[in-house]
């Protein structure tokens, strides 16, 4: 950042002074003004802190770098010099030997079952769609059971039924007034440029969440991360104070609402669990509250659908990353969440869209769903199906933007849940629009502030300015109730909880 002293474009700035620019007279004049004006003194201090933080910048390799290097090495090992061309007699002998060996192998194997006394059923391959994928009205009904290729072999997928499902969904999307969902569906069906990355990244993200949570238990790590990101060390004290109240209220809320599962209570408990995970400090009271909140949400998964299922699953996938208790439930109900979007029957995709793609679901919940589906492949949910639903969710957000919703909530949702799916130009545009908003202007809508703050990654244009503005949130009063207090806590913990891998990289740099 650079702070000017007046409106003159040629005037010396704080950054110029630190870089020893300008004449000695101009430098001395600016130093005098800094001594007299507190605002310039604050700008000077912030600029010095920014310049000092540049000394700590590190660039870590991506998670797929090792795999790509290994692939390069393997390809290099396979490259050999061409063998010298053999004499024509030697070549003829090789061909004859190969023909004899091939004839002997085919005779022994007898793949066509021509020898007398043997009867082999012809191999039939019919592919089936993934579980839960249905069909539209009027589509031909696929066989109920897959046909095994050979006795004792595993059933294979029915390709005809899967193609029928895709065609049916394309037909339904073609009837929409907006083409955003159709475009998103076609983008989701394109083969990935790097299939390994789609499988590997969710597992690496969960591993990073676990490592970061363990490191955030140490106050010195949290404060070092806050300084690294441009935050105030005192913010951590406010976060720990808030999470102490959150833990007490979360335990009380779970005990008082043992049978209740209304949307407001579900949202409050889910945000409380996520705030305790983000805060990082481990104590007996907070560990007990975290376990209570996780078990309370897990017990209600079977009664939740669509948006409420997203709210309940979002904290459980983080709990699975740090404790490993809910893997089976996440696979079961995460797959059910995908089925609720992709299943095509007389009702869903017949008379109406799935609820998550309708106009009744808040954009913040759509963003949570997209972020959740990015992590679910790490616990065993099908990565391709998660990718399809994420693309459809992004298509729905684009629809709402085309319809005139260009507020900070929708833009923050696109960045928080789908930043990796956006084209570079579109992501730059979304971030440019979001830079018009400051966290203080959005308060007390702390859910939007949380998604805005966690969506801007380090190194992106506007990141440093956003971290400076987040510091001003620390002086706001306690919102009072569990849900807004937990969302407020997530905003303040951005510096050390938003980006998995930062704490681990800081630990490696300090070794």
């Amino acid at each position: 950042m650079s702070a000017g002293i007046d409106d003159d474009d040629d005037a010396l700035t704080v950054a110029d002074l630190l870089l020893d620019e300008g004449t000695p007279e101009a430098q001395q004049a600016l130093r005098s003004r800094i001594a007299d004006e507190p605002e310039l003194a604050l700008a000077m201090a912030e600029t010095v802190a920014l310049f000092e933080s540049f000394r700590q910048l590190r660039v870590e390799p991506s998670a797929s770098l090792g795999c790509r290097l290994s692939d390069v090495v393997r390809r290099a090992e396979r490259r050999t010099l061409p063998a010298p061309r053999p004499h024509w007699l030697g070549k003829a002998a090789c061909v004859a030997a190969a023909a004899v060996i091939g004839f002997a192998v085919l005779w022994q194997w007898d793949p066509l079952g021509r020898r007398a006394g043997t009867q082999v059923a012809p191999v039939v391959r019919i592919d089936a769609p993934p579980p839960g994928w249905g069909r539209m009205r009027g589509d031909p009904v696929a066989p109920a059971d897959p046909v095994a290729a050979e006795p004792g072999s595993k059933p294979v997928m029915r390709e005809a039924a899967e193609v029928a499902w895709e065609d049916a969904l394309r037909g339904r999307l073609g009837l929409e007034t907006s083409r955003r969902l159709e475009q998103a569906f076609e983008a989701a069906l394109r083969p990935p440029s790097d299939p390994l990355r789609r499988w590997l990244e969710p597992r690496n993200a969960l591993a990073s969440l676990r490592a970061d949570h363990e490191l955030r238990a140490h106050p010195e790590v949290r404060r070092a991360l806050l300084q690294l990101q441009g935050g105030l060390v005192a913010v951590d004290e406010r976060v720990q104070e808030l999470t102490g109240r959150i833990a007490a209220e979360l335990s009380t809320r779970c005990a008082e609402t043992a049978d209740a599962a209304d949307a407001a209570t579900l949202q409050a408990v889910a945000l409380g669990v996520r705030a305790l995970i983000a805060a990082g400090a481990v104590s007996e009271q907070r560990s007990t509250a975290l376990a209570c909140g996780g078990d309370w949400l897990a017990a209600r998964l079977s009664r939740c659908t669509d948006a409420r299922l997203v709210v309940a699953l979002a904290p459980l996938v983080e709990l699975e990353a740090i404790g490993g208790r809910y893997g089976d439930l996440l696979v079961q109900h995460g797959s059910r969440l995908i089925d609720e979007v992709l299943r095509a029957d007389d009702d869903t995709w017949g008379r109406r869209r799935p609820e998550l793609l309708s106009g009744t679901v808040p954009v913040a919940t759509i963003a949570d769903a997209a972020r959740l589906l990015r992590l679910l492949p790490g616990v065993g949910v099908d990565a391709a199906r998660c990718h399809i639903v994420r693309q459809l969710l992004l298509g729905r957000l684009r629809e709402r933007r085309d319809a005139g919703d260009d507020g900070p909530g929708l833009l923050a949702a696109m960045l928080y849940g789908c930043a990796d799916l956006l084209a570079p130009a579109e992501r730059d545009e979304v971030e440019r629009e979001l830079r018009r908003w400051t966290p203080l202007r959005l308060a007390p809508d702390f859910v939007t502030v949380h998604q805005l703050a966690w969506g801007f990654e380090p190194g992106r244009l506007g990141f440093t300015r956003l971290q400076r503005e987040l510091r001003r949130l620390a002086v706001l009063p306690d919102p009072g109730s569990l849900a807004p207090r937990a969302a407020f806590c997530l905003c303040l913990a951005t510096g050390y909880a938003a980006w998995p891998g930062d704490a681990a990289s800081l630990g490696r740099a300090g070794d």
Side-chain angles (χ1 to χ4, degrees), residues 205-216:
L206 292 180
S208 296
L209 284 173
R210 181 181 182 86
D212 283 2
H213 180 73
E214 294 173 352
L215 290 171
R216 286 199 304 270

Side-chain angles (χ1 to χ4, degrees), residues 421-441:
L421 302 179
L422 298 175
E426 184 178 12
R427 181 172 181 176
D428 291 343
E429 180 188 358
V430 170
E431 291 177 345
R432 183 172 60 252
E433 293 293 325
L434 278 173
R435 287 198 293 272
R436 298 183 302 161
W437 301 87
T438 63
L440 277 177
R441 289 178 60 192

Side-chain angles (χ1 to χ4, degrees), residues 44 220 315 433 447 481:
M44 182 69 174
E220 62 274 11
E433 293 293 325
V447 171
S481 56

Side-chain angles (χ1 to χ4, degrees), residues 302-320:
S302 58
R303 287 179 273 173
C304 296
T305 59
D306 299 304
R308 295 175 65 185
L309 185 57
V310 170
V311 172
L313 287 174
L316 289 181
V317 73
E318 297 183 31
L319 282 173
E320 169 65 18

Side-chain angles (χ1 to χ4, degrees), residues 387-444:
H387 181 67
I388 292 175
V389 178
R390 289 190 74 217
Q391 286 283 7
L392 291 175
L393 293 173
L394 176 59
R396 177 56 190 151
L397 292 176
R398 286 168 172 161
E399 272 189 339
R400 295 175 75 150
R401 191 180 182 197
D402 292 343
D405 184 356
D406 60 349
L410 184 134
L411 296 172
M414 293 180 70
L415 201 60
Y416 176 76
C418 308
D420 59 310
L421 302 179
L422 298 175
E426 184 178 12
R427 181 172 181 176
D428 291 343
E429 180 188 358
V430 170
E431 291 177 345
R432 183 172 60 252
E433 293 293 325
L434 278 173
R435 287 198 293 272
R436 298 183 302 161
W437 301 87
T438 63
L440 277 177
R441 289 178 60 192
L442 296 174

Side-chain angles (χ1 to χ4, degrees), residues 26-43:
Q27 292 180 358
Q28 184 58 40
L30 181 55
R31 290 191 185 96
S32 301
R33 291 198 58 188
I34 291 174
D36 296 336
E37 299 183 19
E39 183 178 353
L40 280 179
L42 179 60

